[in-house]
Amino acid sequence: MDWLNSEPNVTYITLVGHVELLKYRYLYFVIIFIIYTLILFCNFTIIFLIMTHQSLHEPMYIFIAALLLNSVLFSTVIYPKLLVDVLSELQVISTLRCSIQRFFYYSLGASEFLILAVMAFDRYVSICKPLQYTTIMRNPVLYSLLSFAWLFPAAQLAPAILLTHSLKLCKFTLPGIFCNNAVYRLRCALPKALTTYGLFTMINTVVIPFIYIIFTYTKILVISHRSCRDVRKKAAQTCIPHLLVLVSFSCLCTYDITAARLATRLPKTAHLIMTLQVILYHPLFNPIIYGLKMKEISRQLKRLFYRGKSK
């Protein structure tokens, strides 16, 4: 690996979370490539439908498109590097690229919670205040909410990532296949202020949006229960997919926190399986849920594939 020695001022971290890589590297490559291709195809298909069909140019569907785009960006932070690693002699990453990967990994993860919170607000206005919906959910409001969902986590995380990057490394081997918060264990010392700020950031970008989503859907459930059958049907059709996605992503976030904390305690195979759950399941779950459960999207999907077969 002469290229490692050609950059003497660059510090590298070795990723040692792969299992039997020399034996199964080509199988790993094929599986990862297929999964990433499926993620891109499934998510972009629904995004394409939302962009090209006038009947889907409503705030609810635009938020779904934003959520699916977020899933694509989240996957792109991880999968291309994985594909390179499984075919490489050494699985290494520079400390700078590791910090960048960790920044986007957690920033986009937090954006998912905020987009789901925005979607909960949209459903609340639509079901509980239908007469005011068009006045409240105007395009400037819609795009301001989406901008906030992407920019706020990035602004919150940037100081912590920069500070962590500046800390001295005492270990250079990461028990994982990409950079997550297990990187903290590689630092010689971790200031208490950084830990406190990390907790503050998590509360702002994950805990508060999660509580808001649960509170909002509880109010929707109570109001729709008191309303007519049509309102209950509308609430069920549009809210259940969002709640399924919320539960799925919350479970995977718990997985990630557990995997990062137990990285050195779990057997290598068990840790790899837990890590793969975080990056594999959810980006495919989102388009499947919205494609099957959202009536208008499902109808447009059937039209698209039926038209393709007829040709």
Side-chain angles (χ1 to χ4, degrees):
M1 300 294 288
D2 294 335
W3 59 272
L4 285 176
N5 299 322
S6 65
E7 298 180 85
N9 295 324
V10 179
T11 304
Y12 288 91
I13 294 170
T14 304
L15 304 168
V16 295
H18 299 277
V19 176
E20 296 284 352
L21 187 57
L22 289 176
K23 187 176 181 181
Y24 298 113
R25 68 168 70 246
Y26 295 110
L27 177 62
Y28 279 151
F29 181 87
V30 171
I31 292 172
I32 293 169
F33 180 79
I34 290 172
I35 291 169
Y36 185 48
T37 302
L38 281 173
I39 289 170
L40 295 179
F41 174 77
C42 293
N43 283 281
F44 276 129
T45 298
I46 295 181
I47 292 171
F48 170 78
L49 287 176
I50 292 171
M51 290 177 62
T52 55
H53 289 81
Q54 192 66 36
S55 62
L56 299 178
H57 290 181
E58 297 178 10
M60 177 176 66
Y61 298 112
I62 293 171
F63 290 140
I64 290 172
L67 192 71
L68 299 184
L69 178 61
N70 198 73
S71 292
V72 170
L73 296 173
F74 179 85
S75 300
T76 302
V77 170
I78 305 297
Y79 279 91
K81 177 71 170 85
L82 274 182
L83 289 170
V84 172
D85 280 347
V86 296
L87 295 181
S88 300
E89 185 180 338
L90 290 176
Q91 291 70 51
V92 296
I93 187 169
S94 70
T95 52
L96 177 60
R97 290 182 180 179
C98 185
S99 294
I100 292 171
Q101 186 180 60
R102 194 162 64 92
F103 169 74
F104 283 109
Y105 175 75
Y106 286 108
S107 175
L108 292 168
S111 292
E112 181 113 356
F113 275 107
L114 289 172
I115 293 172
L116 287 169
V118 168
M119 294 167 82
F121 172 72
D122 172 73
R123 291 300 84 209
Y124 172 76
V125 176
S126 175
I127 293 167
C128 303
K129 298 183 179 182
L131 297 178
Q132 301 174 43
Y133 184 76
T134 54
T135 304
I136 295 173
M137 297 305 297
R138 293 174 291 112
N139 281 343
V141 174
L142 188 154
Y143 294 120
S144 295
L145 289 171
L146 284 179
S147 298
F148 177 80
W150 271 309
L151 296 176
F152 180 69
Q156 289 268 293
L157 281 165
I161 297 293
L162 289 171
L163 180 57
T164 306
H165 180 72
S166 66
L167 297 175
K168 184 180 178 182
L169 282 170
C170 282
K171 299 177 184 177
F172 300 90
T173 301
L174 184 69
I177 57 176
F178 60 87
C179 292
N180 59 7
N181 279 342
V183 168
Y184 284 132
R185 296 177 180 273
L186 307 184
R187 305 295 167 179
C188 300
L190 199 63
K192 288 184 179 180
L194 182 60
T195 305
T196 303
Y197 184 78
L199 181 62
F200 171 77
T201 301
M202 187 177 74
I203 290 171
N204 280 345
T205 58
V206 176
V207 177
I208 291 176
F210 181 83
I211 293 172
Y212 173 78
I213 293 167
I214 297 301
F215 174 77
T216 303
Y217 281 120
T218 301
K219 287 199 73 173
I220 291 172
L221 180 64
V222 170
I223 292 172
S224 60
H225 181 71
R226 295 172 181 170
S227 303
C228 64
R229 184 179 177 182
D230 288 341
V231 173
R232 290 197 297 272
K233 185 178 178 181
K234 179 182 178 182
Q237 286 179 343
T238 59
C239 294
I240 287 175
H242 302 333
L243 287 172
L244 289 173
V245 170
L246 174 67
V247 170
S248 166
F249 194 65
S250 299
C251 291
L252 295 181
C253 287
T254 305
Y255 249 80
D256 177 74
I257 293 169
T258 306
R261 288 186 176 276
L262 301 179
T264 57
R265 302 177 197 174
L266 286 173
K268 197 173 182 180
T269 302
H271 182 253
L272 177 63
I273 291 170
M274 288 186 71
T275 304
L276 289 174
Q277 292 295 313
V278 178
I279 63 171
L280 184 154
Y281 175 63
H282 191 69
L284 282 174
F285 182 75
N286 280 2
I288 290 171
I289 283 296
Y290 288 118
L292 294 176
K293 293 292 184 181
M294 300 299 289
K295 187 177 178 181
E296 186 64 24
I297 293 177
S298 179
R299 187 167 66 87
Q300 296 296 347
L301 275 173
K302 288 175 183 176
R303 281 187 177 182
L304 177 67
F305 289 111
Y306 178 78
R307 191 183 305 161
K309 285 181 181 179
S310 64
K311 289 180 180 180

